[in-house]
Amino acid sequence: MLGVMTNIGFGIDIGGSGIKGARVNMDDGEFVGDRIKIKTPQPSTPEAVAGTVAEILRTSEWTGPVGITLPSVIRGQVAQTAANIDAGWIGTDVHELFDRHLGGREISVLNDADAAGIAEVAFGDPRARKGSALFLTFGTGIGSALLMDGRLFPNTEIGHLKVGKQEAEEQASSAAKDRDELSYKKWAKRVSKVLNEYERLLNPGVIIVGGGISRDHERWVPLLDVGTPVFPARLRNRAGIVGAAMAVASHLAP
Ligand code: BGC
C-alpha cells in the first residue's frame, strides 16, 4: 500500500529522555508504520543528538524532508534556549547542524510545544480549529503554543510567565505535582490559578491541555475553575512528531 500513498511526511521529536521519529500520513495525522525511539544520548550535545536523528532516518530509509522538534526557543533556525537538553544547544544554528548531518533535504526545526499545538489543532478536537486557541503541554515544564485559525504564533514560552511569586511551570507542571506529592484536587487548584492568568492576558477561545498527564484528564480537567472551555489533547504523544512533519510540509521554519 505504501507505494500508492503520496501524502506522507516524516517528523522527529527530540526530548530529554528519548528521540522519536515516524512517517506521518499528512491527510489524517496517523503514523504510517512503526515509531522508532532511541534514548537521547548523554550528554545531549547538538552533535550527538544530530547523529541519533541521522540514525533514525537511516533505519527508516527516509530520504525526504524532515521536521524536527526541540525543547527550545527557535528563532531564525537558531536555538535560543535549552530545557532538559545540553546547554550547548544555546546559540546553535540548527539548520546548519542538521543540514550537515542529514544533508540535501528540506529541514524545519521548531519548538516541541509549537509542533504539538499545530498537530492538535489540525487533527484533534475540531472546536480548536477556528479562532484563537491556546495549547499547553504539562510535563517536566509547561510548553505553550498560540494559534489563530490553526496558524502558529511561535515561541510563546508562557510556561515561564510569573504567576504570583513563581513561574507557572515551577508550580503547575506535572513534575511539580510529583515533586510536591499533590493530589489531583490540589494540583488542579494550581493549574486553575495559572490558567486564570493566561485567560486574563490572552483571552483565547479555547484551551487545549496536553502532555502525558492529559491521559488522566477525567481526574483533573473537570476540577478546573476556568471560564474558557478546556479540552484534553487527543493526539497525546503522537502530536510532536505529527506537528514536526506538518511544519516541514508547509515550509514553516520559525
Ligand atoms: C521550555 C519550552 C518547552 C517546554 C516543554 C519549557 O521549559 O522552555 O521551550 O516547549 O518546556 O518541553
Side-chain angles (χ1 to χ4, degrees):
M1 278 310 281
L2 257 178
V4 297
M5 291 165 85
T6 49
N7 209 8
I8 305 285
F10 202 101
I12 294 194
D13 196 11
I14 298 174
S17 55
I19 302 179
K20 296 155 265 174
R23 280 183 168 75
V24 175
N25 180 340
M26 306 305 293
D27 294 326
D28 61 8
E30 296 290 338
F31 288 165
V32 180
D34 290 336
R35 184 189 77 153
I36 296 182
K37 180 174 177 180
I38 298 183
K39 273 196 178 148
T40 307
Q42 299 300 337
S44 50
T45 58
E47 293 299 328
V49 167
T52 303
V53 169
E55 189 184 333
I56 289 178
L57 293 173
R58 254 194 323 273
T59 310
S60 312
E61 298 178 356
W62 179 261
T63 53
V66 61
I68 300 169
T69 78
L70 276 172
S72 307
V73 168
I74 305 292
R75 204 157 43 156
Q77 296 292 280
V78 174
Q80 315 271 328
T81 62
N84 305 311
I85 49 166
D86 193 81
W89 283 92
I90 300 170
T92 296
D93 179 334
V94 290
H95 188 266
E96 185 281 326
L97 172 80
F98 289 115
D99 194 48
R100 187 155 40 78
H101 284 264
L102 320 172
R105 65 175 94 212
E106 191 180 351
I107 295 161
S108 173
V109 184
L110 75 166
N111 171 264
D112 54 358
D114 280 346
I118 57 178
E120 281 293 344
V121 167
F123 298 114
D125 197 308
R127 288 170 289 190
R129 231 156 271 170
K130 280 245 156 286
S132 58
L134 173 62
F135 168 78
L136 299 168
T137 56
F138 290 83
T140 315
I142 296 179
S144 62
L146 196 57
L147 300 116
M148 177 64 194
D149 290 341
R151 287 200 63 195
L152 176 71
F153 183 107
N155 295 313
T156 45
E157 292 290 321
I158 59 173
H160 296 288
L161 185 76
K162 260 200 168 173
V163 178
K165 289 202 175 85
Q166 281 181 312
E167 287 191 3
E169 69 174 33
E170 283 168 34
Q171 52 191 307
S173 63
S174 69
K177 177 180 181 299
D178 295 344
R179 184 195 63 213
D180 297 341
E181 298 177 3
L182 300 177
S183 62
Y184 273 105
K185 196 170 163 205
K186 289 214 166 109
W187 181 65
K189 270 205 172 142
R190 293 194 188 179
V191 176
S192 296
K193 183 176 156 198
V194 164
L195 296 188
N196 290 154
E197 186 67 0
Y198 291 168
E199 290 186 288
R200 198 172 72 79
L201 297 172
L202 300 169
N203 299 291
V206 296
I207 297 174
I208 309 156
V209 289
I213 201 158
S214 67
R215 227 169 284 135
D216 291 337
H217 61 90
E218 298 96 343
R219 300 183 64 186
W220 58 278
V221 173
L223 305 178
L224 296 174
D225 185 12
V226 187
T228 310
V230 180
F231 309 129
R234 289 189 181 173
L235 276 73
R236 309 278 162 74
N237 59 7
R238 211 170 75 226
I241 292 176
V242 174
M246 288 171 67
V248 72
S250 60
H251 313 289
L252 173 74

